[in-house]
Amino acid sequence: MANFAAAVKGQGVSGAKSNEHRLLIRAITELPTETRDVFVLHRMAGLAYDQIAEVLGIDRERVQAQLTSALVQISETLRAAED
């Protein structure tokens, strides 16, 4: 997960979608490590909160807090890019 950007690089997105894709990748990549790990495991790997907690060795409440933080930070990054 530490090399998230490399894992999704070049997935065949073009035009305006390509720019949106790059912005999203940048927003996710800029997240703090634990926050990014929680986001990727939940939104991309489809793991449930309890599974993420077990994989990362943290409690379920921390998973929820980190996911909320990820969504807020990603939203703020994307909104700032629109301005």
Side-chain angles (χ1 to χ4, degrees), residues 21-42:
H21 187 251
R22 279 192 293 274
L23 288 171
L24 180 59
I25 298 304
R26 188 185 88 206
I28 295 168
T29 302
E30 291 176 352
L31 292 171
T33 302
E34 184 178 85
T35 307
R36 183 180 58 245
D37 290 348
V38 168
F39 179 83
V40 170
L41 288 171
H42 183 65

Side-chain angles (χ1 to χ4, degrees), residues 68-83:
T68 298
S69 178
L71 295 172
V72 167
Q73 290 177 59
I74 291 168
S75 176
E76 288 173 353
T77 300
L78 296 177
R79 195 173 308 120
E82 290 176 352
D83 294 338

Side-chain angles (χ1 to χ4, degrees), residues 6-24:
V8 295
K9 186 177 180 180
Q11 289 193 355
V13 181
S14 62
K17 292 287 185 188
S18 177
N19 189 43
E20 291 172 6
H21 187 251
R22 279 192 293 274
L23 288 171
L24 180 59

